[in-house]
Amino acid sequence: MEAAESGRPGPAASSSSSSSSSSPPAAAEGEKTGPAAMRRSDRDGGADGRNVGFVLVHAGAGYHSESKAKEYKQVCKKACQKAIEKLQTGALAVDVVAAALIELEDSPFTNAGMGSNLNLSGDIECDASTMDGKSLNFGAVGALRGIKNPILVANKLLSEAQKGKLSAGRIPPCFLVGEGAHKWAVDHGIVPCPPDIMTTKFSLSAFRKNRRKLELAEKVETEMIQTKKRREVTENVSVFIFTLSTNVTASLDTVGAVVVDHEGNVAAAVSSGGLAMKHPGRVGQAAVYGCGCWAENAGGHNVYSTAVSTSGCGEHLVRTMLARECSVALQSEDAHQALLETMQKKFVRSPFLACEDSVLGGVIVLRCCRCSMDSESALNTPALLVEFLWSHTTESMCVGYMSTQDGKAKTHISRLPPGAVAGQSLAIEGGVCRLRTSVN
């Protein structure tokens, strides 16, 4: 196991290989990490302390080519800007995170909403979910067709559930799939769209290439079975499947976002078109509770508010419940070390994935708590301390982040260091900021 650790993303960032030991993440805008070490910086909140907030988004853990780096970063930038616009109007985290996801779903460069991978039948079926850290309510859809923005349905399920029981004391749904999800969405005012609108030239081209390769592989398999070479068939098919999932469409993956609002509420969301050439009806981690996203406000046994969004191979993330595992771990004193150990012990070396040669996935996380802006000052201005991190075992992961007082979003494509093996090594990076607030 190798862990790539580096500092604040940007031109000066490095991505060198190191041992599994951890060091604190480099602070954003030159700050030192840890509540006691924090000082004023360009990331301090505005003068009135109202409507502050922070957003971190990802455009997938997979492979992001240098030739399309500008496009990947641009979509993350737009998602951050949309989220900040909502935060500045006083919107709460659960609605802000949905606004960020809509921007990510609408991009033809992501595997979510428009441009999603096509399944074996040539159709687009999407998964999405969202969680509100304040109410702990959850909304999700799986294998959903004909809805341009699946996150809207997940968000609507969450908000409708908060209204209480239905007629005759029925429990409102929080997770719907297939035709039932589509009908519920339309009945609740979400406009459907023709399937061909969601298909892009790129996704259709990838589907045709994958189908030709699949037909060839099946032909070879049949011939080899007839010659009683079953062992070689297994090896050849395994190599073929890996080629489909990592080389042809690896630049497209699940998208997600995590947000903290001016009240200190957190929320998380995730959306995905799923694996290329997946079986119709397949539901991945993006719709599954505790696997695709997690959000939980501080209180009770939780010192920190935490929000997590995952990406990667859905089956690997479902079997490890990675989103909730990360959230629980982030209650430790050292967030960076906690995430590093979780990715190593609970994911890459998880006993539930012991038979897997390559464990592929990534996460974005944030945690926050209230602190003092000036610990030695009589004014003792209240603030939110926000720590944000991302980690991945895939070749790369594209992220963007922004606070309400930043002039523009920062974007970064994190990559494994040279020589690191995807699925066996991991990278981890992040930063810290404080947001001045008038909320007690």
Side-chain angles (χ1 to χ4, degrees):
M1 168 66 64
E2 293 180 346
E5 302 177 63
S6 59
R8 176 170 57 90
S14 62
S15 186
S16 58
S17 176
S18 72
S19 67
S20 295
S21 61
S22 174
S23 59
E29 301 297 334
E31 293 190 18
K32 297 178 181 179
T33 55
M38 299 298 290
R39 58 182 175 82
R40 287 187 185 276
S41 76
D42 294 337
R43 288 187 156 243
D44 290 350
D48 58 8
R50 292 178 299 176
N51 298 345
V52 299
F54 180 88
V55 59
L56 170 64
V57 307
H58 71 80
Y63 174 73
H64 302 81
S65 66
E66 293 289 354
S67 63
K68 290 188 174 63
K70 182 178 179 180
E71 286 83 356
Y72 298 131
K73 290 181 178 181
Q74 183 64 23
V75 66
C76 286
K77 179 180 178 181
K78 288 179 64 177
C80 287
Q81 290 173 334
K82 179 61 69 173
I84 293 303
E85 288 174 8
K86 295 281 287 185
L87 284 168
Q88 289 172 335
T89 66
L92 296 180
V94 68
D95 295 319
V96 173
V97 82
L101 261 289
I102 289 172
E103 290 295 324
L104 294 167
E105 288 177 336
D106 285 348
S107 170
F109 295 99
T110 64
N111 177 27
M114 182 183 296
S116 290
N117 287 330
L118 278 64
N119 65 16
L120 276 172
S121 300
D123 299 314
I124 287 178
E125 294 182 331
C126 296
D127 305 328
S129 65
T130 185
M131 186 168 180
D132 176 21
K134 182 178 181 179
S135 66
L136 300 183
N137 280 339
F138 172 81
V141 290
L144 177 66
R145 298 186 188 185
I147 299 293
K148 183 170 174 284
N149 294 112
I151 191 60
L152 284 178
V153 190
N155 184 262
K156 188 70 173 178
L157 280 164
L158 186 153
S159 62
E160 288 296 309
Q162 289 177 330
K163 296 178 180 179
K165 293 183 179 180
L166 305 175
S167 60
R170 292 174 297 143
I171 303 297
C174 68
F175 182 15
L176 293 174
V177 299
E179 292 183 10
H182 183 275
K183 185 178 186 304
W184 188 95
V186 174
D187 289 346
H188 285 78
I190 296 175
V191 180
C193 72
D196 57 345
I197 289 180
M198 299 177 67
T199 303
T200 64
K201 291 182 179 180
F202 182 86
S203 63
L204 186 58
S205 174
F207 168 73
R208 289 169 176 166
K209 290 178 182 178
N210 285 339
R211 185 171 58 184
R212 286 195 295 270
K213 288 188 176 184
L214 185 60
E215 291 170 352
L216 177 60
E218 290 175 343
K219 180 180 179 181
V220 170
E221 179 181 356
T222 301
E223 292 174 351
M224 295 183 73
I225 289 176
Q226 292 173 349
T227 57
K228 298 182 180 181
K229 294 183 178 180
R230 293 181 178 272
R231 182 176 180 182
E232 292 181 29
V233 169
T234 303
E235 294 171 352
N236 287 342
V237 172
S238 296
V239 171
F240 166 71
I241 293 174
F242 185 79
T243 301
L244 272 184
S245 62
T246 60
N247 292 343
V248 178
T249 57
S251 59
L252 301 176
D253 213 323
T254 305
V255 301
V258 289
V259 167
V260 57
D261 64 25
H262 66 283
E263 293 184 358
N265 301 312
V266 293
V270 60
S271 182
S272 178
L275 297 175
M277 307 302 285
K278 66 181 181 180
H279 194 283
R282 179 261 190 187
V283 174
Q285 106 284 353
V288 181
Y289 188 71
C291 304
C293 68
W294 192 266
E296 193 169 355
N297 278 11
H301 62 281
N302 289 337
V303 177
Y304 300 98
S305 296
T306 59
V308 182
S309 182
T310 69
S311 177
C313 176
E315 279 66 21
H316 295 172
L317 295 162
V318 167
R319 286 154 65 186
T320 54
M321 295 189 69
L322 187 61
R324 190 170 189 276
E325 288 283 6
C326 288
S327 178
V328 171
L330 287 171
Q331 295 301 323
S332 302
E333 182 177 353
D334 189 332
H336 186 268
Q337 181 67 22
L339 181 59
L340 177 64
E341 292 180 358
T342 301
M343 289 294 290
Q344 291 174 332
K345 298 176 182 179
K346 302 289 188 177
F347 190 58
V348 179
R349 295 200 297 261
S350 169
F352 299 103
L353 300 176
C355 296
E356 300 289 344
D357 295 327
S358 182
V359 179
L360 300 169
V363 298
I364 57 172
V365 306
L366 72 74
R367 76 174 189 181
C368 63
C369 65
R370 299 206 177 276
C371 65
S372 172
M373 186 69 78
D374 298 297
S375 58
E376 299 178 0
S377 170
L379 295 176
N380 201 30
T381 307
L384 283 174
L385 172 64
V386 181
E387 297 174 81
F388 56 99
L389 296 159
W390 54 87
S391 180
H392 57 96
T393 65
T394 54
E395 292 186 49
S396 60
M397 187 172 191
C398 186
V399 300
Y401 57 95
M402 188 177 184
S403 71
T404 44
Q405 56 273 345
D406 285 333
K408 61 180 180 179
K410 293 179 174 62
T411 58
H412 175 58
I413 297 181
S414 174
R415 300 187 185 278
L416 292 178
V421 179
Q424 299 176 14
S425 305
L426 66 89
I428 181 168
E429 300 177 277
V432 181
C433 74
R434 281 200 301 181
L435 305 171
R436 183 186 293 135
T437 173
S438 59
V439 179
N440 292 325

